[in-house]
Amino acid sequence: MASSIENNNEKLTLKSSDGEEFLVEKHVALQSTLLQNMLDSDCSSADVIPLPKIDARTLALVLGYCKKHADASSSKQGELNSFDSEFLKDMDMGALFNLVLAANFMEIKGLLDIAAQKIADTIKDKPHQEVREIFHVENDYTPEEEAAVREENRWAFEGFP
Amino acid sequence: MATAAATAELYLNGGSDRDGEVLERVQPAAAVAERQTTGASMMEQLVPEITTHALTYLDFPSLCRLSMTNSLMRRAANDDNAWKALYHKDFTLEQDNITPVNGWKAYYAATRAIMNVNAEFFNIIRERSLSAMGRLWLNADYVKCVHASGELFTSYNAVMESWQLAFNWDHGGGFQVRDVRARVLTEMAWVTMKTYVDMDNRLFNMSNIFEFHNGRWYMVHHHSSLLLIDGEPEQQIVQG
């Protein structure tokens, strides 16, 4: 009902891909543009909103981020920044990727930005062999192709002659 | 209830959940099947928009390293828009409407090469190395150099003599090069910049032109304005 949406204490139920349900306050859910659009388009909050691409572990992380940012939106930015960097600290690459996918899907720009930045920071300044391991990328180049690709990118790794 | 579920389905692109598979592959099925990968690479699970977004956080060596990991990564890391964005971030917001013939990665690489050569020109001046200046310039009769004195020198030998003279003047004090802008075509490039001396309000406007020969760039033209103070020519104190 439209009238109940005005109620600040209103809660939504989100359901993860593995069937776990999360009760979320509306102002927390509004951090997600996806959920905001769904609420705007007349979905009653009594309904369970399925998120079939996001597992419970990832969804719990996402909602933790949303809660912090929703509650602190008017307070100090510095506190949020330190929360953000602490939030992703020590997170393994698999969890980080799940988080990026979830943030992208749920349209949570701030989370998408910090998670993408974290992935970028992880591979920055690492040799490509190590990047392969980090991303579990299988080398499918023939020796000839690999030599050609190396040549194509040689400019990036040398200074002025 | 039905409305919510239907709307959710709409937002989820009709994607259905499959047991045990948290991340539904967003790559077209054909592309995945064609590759027969063992052990799904995490990157392949990212939708193109996210990959492009994540790539905007990488610097050029990281992007190049990523493209060296495998063919799929190469396609992602060579993305034209990613390199265009990086070009505008690292060099200039100008040249927004150009279409580089070999794509933005090649244009980025060519621009970086020119920026390096141009920076080398100023290093040579700082070090006053006539031999290095000799290697920088194209040995041709048409190369030209206009110094801050206003004098014009034509041909390789005359230009080198002019630099020998210039290096003998005790210039003292350092200088700072700012607002460097390069435009690069296949075999020619020109660069404009401001060179500040001593104080912030004293500067030379400069232009350098380079030609590409035998796999490298050579300087063929250098032109300096007279010394400007607050954008106006200095009064009669210019060294002749």
Side-chain angles (χ1 to χ4, degrees), chain A residues 116 120, chain B residues 50-59 63 81-82 85-86 89:
Chain B
I50 315 182
T51 311
T52 307
H53 185 77
L55 294 181
T56 62
Y57 290 89
L58 292 177
D59 57 9
L63 268 181
N81 287 323
L86 196 62
K89 183 173 151 201

Side-chain angles (χ1 to χ4, degrees), chain B residues 78-140:
Chain B
N78 283 3
D79 178 77
D80 213 41
N81 287 323
W83 283 96
K84 182 180 180 182
L86 196 62
Y87 173 88
H88 289 312
K89 183 173 151 201
D90 289 355
F91 298 122
T92 172
L93 293 173
E94 295 173 357
Q95 303 184 43
D96 194 43
N97 293 321
I98 64 163
T99 305
V101 278
N102 297 314
W104 279 97
K105 182 175 180 178
Y107 195 63
Y108 184 100
T111 303
R112 185 154 290 281
I114 280 297
M115 297 296 264
N116 287 344
V117 176
N118 196 64
E120 178 67 7
F121 169 68
F122 288 102
N123 287 338
I124 289 169
I125 294 176
R126 285 189 183 94
E127 293 162 8
R128 298 181 205 185
S129 167
L130 194 62
S131 58
M133 192 61 97
R135 287 190 295 276
L136 186 74
W137 282 77
L138 185 71
N139 191 340

Side-chain angles (χ1 to χ4, degrees), chain A residues 160, chain B residues 117-139 143-145 147 156-167 175 206 208 210 216-222:
Chain A
F160 183 75
Chain B
V117 176
N118 196 64
E120 178 67 7
F121 169 68
F122 288 102
N123 287 338
I124 289 169
I125 294 176
R126 285 189 183 94
E127 293 162 8
R128 298 181 205 185
S129 167
L130 194 62
S131 58
M133 192 61 97
R135 287 190 295 276
L136 186 74
W137 282 77
L138 185 71
N139 191 340
V143 300
K144 291 183 171 58
C145 184
H147 286 276
Y156 182 80
N157 289 338
V159 169
M160 283 310 121
E161 281 165 27
S162 77
W163 282 111
Q164 189 169 19
L165 275 174
F167 290 161
F175 55 85
M206 292 184 176
N208 290 334
F210 300 88
R216 55 156 285 198
W217 291 98
Y218 289 88
M219 184 172 268
V220 295
H221 192 97
H222 166 74

